[in-house]
Amino acid sequence: VCPSFFSRASSRASSASCLASASSHNDLPYGETSGAILVIEDLTLATMDSDLLIDAQLRVNAGQCVGIVGANGAGKSTLMKVMAGMRDVDAGRVALKPKTEVGYLEQTALSGSERTVVEEARSRMDQVNDARRKMDEAEQAGDAAALEKALQTFEQLDGFQAERRIATVLDGLGFERSQWDTPCSQLSG
């Protein structure tokens, strides 16, 4: 399964949605983008033994769909980690439009998982799942104020569209509907 990167601008101008927000400990590369969702300028990425990217350029505007394709070891996952704020650049600049949400589903996260494809995708929606859990807890406790707060958070996260977003992402990754209930451990590649 390929690593996945999806962004959603707060203006909803972008057609892509995220599965999971990047963890709060990640330092997302927000900066000036002149209206673009993502700007990469003069980017150089290297590992100990090879250059992955040298002086790379990219501009992604709202509504554009971009695929990252390359041979094993070409740096696709490394670039994704940079965009998710999980790795620093060696040189150059990567900037996300402020308030853009970033999600990153690590390729190795699915290895050996006994969850189904759809369960794994759903599990990566940390903020939505947390808001849903708080709604359930507040409802069971009969706490109307807590329920209202959790519901407001859930709505702000567009939680009622979560299943549609999961379907869009899985379709976009090329999963057939018949594969959605397959345990990830039975998939290869």
Side-chain angles (χ1 to χ4, degrees):
V1 176
C2 296
S4 307
F5 176 82
F6 302 94
S7 68
R8 178 170 51 99
S10 60
S11 65
R12 298 179 191 260
S14 176
S15 62
S17 298
C18 68
L19 271 179
S21 294
S23 300
S24 59
H25 70 275
N26 292 339
D27 189 19
L28 293 173
Y30 292 122
E32 174 54 41
T33 63
S34 299
I37 298 295
L38 170 70
V39 173
I40 295 175
E41 296 173 336
D42 304 318
L43 178 64
T44 297
L45 292 176
T47 61
M48 288 189 176
D49 57 348
S50 66
D51 292 329
L52 301 173
L53 295 172
I54 300 172
D55 296 325
Q57 310 288 328
L58 177 66
R59 179 181 177 91
V60 179
N61 293 307
Q64 286 184 304
C65 291
V66 178
I68 299 174
V69 180
N72 287 342
K76 300 178 299 293
S77 294
T78 303
L79 177 59
M80 301 295 275
K81 288 177 182 177
V82 167
M83 291 187 288
M86 299 168 63
R87 184 193 192 279
D88 292 329
V89 301
D90 296 311
R93 181 176 93 93
V94 174
L96 290 166
K97 181 179 181 178
K99 297 184 181 180
T100 299
E101 294 177 7
V102 174
Y104 176 79
L105 180 58
E106 194 167 354
Q107 183 173 345
T108 58
L110 303 179
S111 299
S113 174
E114 289 302 318
R115 291 182 181 141
T116 66
V117 171
V118 73
E119 289 169 341
E120 192 67 49
R122 190 178 295 122
S123 76
R124 300 302 173 151
M125 301 182 83
D126 296 335
Q127 292 177 334
V128 171
N129 292 335
D130 186 52
R132 183 178 286 132
R133 181 186 51 75
K134 287 179 181 176
M135 286 172 37
D136 291 343
E137 289 172 357
E139 186 175 26
Q140 288 177 0
D143 187 341
L147 178 58
E148 179 62 31
K149 183 178 178 182
L151 180 59
Q152 184 178 17
T153 300
F154 189 75
E155 288 175 343
Q156 287 173 343
L157 295 168
D158 207 15
F160 290 111
Q161 296 300 316
E163 295 303 313
R164 182 189 54 78
R165 291 187 349 230
I166 290 168
T168 299
V169 168
L170 293 178
D171 286 342
L173 290 172
F175 284 102
E176 300 292 330
R177 299 278 169 138
S178 62
Q179 294 177 303
W180 289 16
D181 292 322
T182 302
C184 292
S185 61
Q186 293 181 11
L187 302 175
S188 65

